[in-house]
Amino acid sequence: MTTTPTTRIISAVFFLLALLVGVPLLISATGRTDLYYTLTSVALLSIASSGVWITFYIGRINIGQGAYALMGGYVSAILVVDYGVSFWLTLPLAGLFCAAASVLIGLPILRLRGVYFAMVTLVLTEVVRLLALALPVTNGAKGIVSIPLPTGIGIFGLTLVPDFASLANPRLAFYIVAVLLMALCFLGLYRLVHSRVGQLSQSLQQNEELASSIGVNIAYLRVIAYAISSFLGGVGGAMFAAISQSIYPSSFTVADSVNFMLNCFLGGLGYVLGPMLGTFVLYFGWDMLFQTGEYQLLIFSTVLIVLMLVLPNGLLSLTLSARRGD
């Protein structure tokens, strides 16, 4: 059984409506308003994880996304707190800053492959953390706190986005923004993968030498993919700083970079929605095992290893297998 483009569009619309309408109604009925922060975190983490998925798409193992998330968070916080720039303007600016930085960093390191590229990106997260500790503009270990909530946006007297500080429940507003950003992110990712650039990028994953021999500018594609990846990391980090109203050097660490990578593996590297599903399962899976106490990490790691052995193509490969069996 194959799905048509119309079916995919209808499914995506229903899924988005369920997130924007169904989830708030359920939370309102149960009174679990704390879930807004949890679900917002999952949405933002899936955005950053989708950036890692892009680098996997060109055949690179990226364990440095935490660096760009931290960088994006600081860029947004500094612009808002020190210069009074609207948060909504800092959101794309944080992403663009991270993309520009990734181009400078990526030009030399993207020549590396396999474990060599992975180790360099792993070190990158720690380098950015140490820079955040050392630079005066980041306020060192004290971080940046008391970040104002996003202000409103209006045109010709018409309020498009309300001032979050005036809302009775800003967490609901953050949740809606995070879901919309996540939808835009994965829609863009889907279009990118099915474009000519996406098809050329996939050729790098299979055989770079062959792709180069037929005229593909592999260096250009590598840098573009890494810049998009870093842009998404920066946007996710900026949103996290806004919802937390603070940013510290420890806000994103090496462990977060590893988790971004695991989200992609768990969901499925061959599927655009893999990072989204992987983030959801990994985030809630860890919380569900909280009651196991000191055995939490052991059980969690064992389950992850088993899942990756049994389902090397990720959880979404189960849906493909089911369709083939129909």
Side-chain angles (χ1 to χ4, degrees):
M1 179 181 177
T2 58
T3 57
T4 64
T6 303
T7 305
R8 294 193 191 100
I9 293 172
I10 294 173
S11 300
V13 170
F14 273 105
F15 179 65
L16 188 58
L17 286 175
L19 292 177
L20 292 175
V21 180
V23 170
L25 287 175
L26 285 174
I27 290 177
S28 178
T30 58
R32 291 290 307 276
T33 55
D34 57 297
L35 287 176
Y36 279 128
Y37 183 84
T38 301
L39 294 174
T40 300
S41 298
V42 170
L44 297 179
L45 290 173
S46 70
I47 292 173
S49 299
S50 69
V52 178
W53 186 87
I54 293 174
T55 53
F56 275 115
Y57 202 69
I58 61 169
R60 294 294 186 274
I61 303 173
N62 182 4
I63 321 179
Q65 190 73 327
Y68 295 106
L70 186 62
M71 205 182 295
Y74 268 109
V75 168
S76 177
I78 291 169
L79 290 175
V80 170
V81 174
D82 294 344
Y83 298 97
V85 181
S86 170
F87 164 75
W88 304 110
L89 184 58
T90 68
L91 199 58
L93 288 177
L96 290 172
F97 181 89
C98 292
S102 72
V103 171
L104 297 177
I105 297 170
L107 284 172
I109 71 170
L110 283 167
R111 299 174 183 272
L112 303 174
R113 299 185 189 179
V115 67
Y116 302 104
F117 180 81
M119 292 307 297
V120 170
T121 56
L122 183 65
V123 172
L124 181 62
T125 303
E126 188 65 12
V127 169
V128 173
R129 187 187 71 83
L130 293 175
L131 281 174
L133 279 170
L135 294 176
V137 71
T138 60
N139 206 24
K142 296 179 181 179
I144 300 176
V145 297
S146 300
I147 300 174
L149 290 171
T151 55
I153 300 176
I155 298 178
F156 304 118
L158 178 65
T159 301
L160 299 179
V161 178
D163 187 339
F164 280 28
S166 66
L167 298 175
N169 187 5
R171 287 190 174 185
L172 171 59
F174 274 116
Y175 169 76
I176 292 173
V177 172
V179 168
L180 291 175
L181 283 176
M182 182 180 70
L184 287 173
C185 167
F186 283 94
L187 176 62
L189 203 61
Y190 180 84
R191 291 298 305 148
L192 177 65
V193 167
H194 291 85
S195 67
R196 176 172 171 78
V197 173
Q199 293 170 353
L200 291 175
S201 298
Q202 191 175 24
S203 68
L204 303 188
Q205 185 185 57
Q206 297 170 351
N207 192 319
E208 285 193 1
E209 288 74 15
L210 180 59
S212 180
S213 68
I214 60 175
V216 176
N217 190 337
I218 59 175
Y220 171 78
L221 288 177
R222 285 189 205 129
V223 172
I224 289 296
Y226 194 49
I228 295 173
S229 168
S230 305
F231 177 88
L232 294 174
V235 169
M239 274 295 297
F240 256 111
I243 191 174
S244 303
Q245 293 188 268
S246 61
I247 183 77
Y248 300 94
S250 58
S251 294
F252 291 97
T253 62
V254 170
D256 295 300
S257 291
V258 172
N259 285 334
F260 289 141
M261 179 187 65
L262 287 176
N263 293 338
C264 300
F265 276 118
L266 187 59
L269 294 179
Y271 308 91
V272 173
L273 296 180
M276 186 190 298
L277 178 62
T279 303
F280 182 87
V281 173
L282 201 67
Y283 194 99
F284 282 99
W286 175 258
D287 285 347
M288 286 174 62
L289 292 172
F290 180 76
Q291 300 298 328
T292 60
E294 59 184 358
Y295 300 104
Q296 182 183 21
L297 183 58
L298 176 62
I299 297 173
F300 183 74
S301 304
T302 302
V303 171
L304 278 182
I305 292 171
V306 171
L307 280 175
M308 289 182 183
L309 289 173
V310 176
L311 296 170
N313 295 321
L315 295 173
L316 282 177
S317 62
L318 286 172
T319 61
L320 183 61
S321 300
R323 286 174 185 169
R324 286 176 176 171
D326 287 343

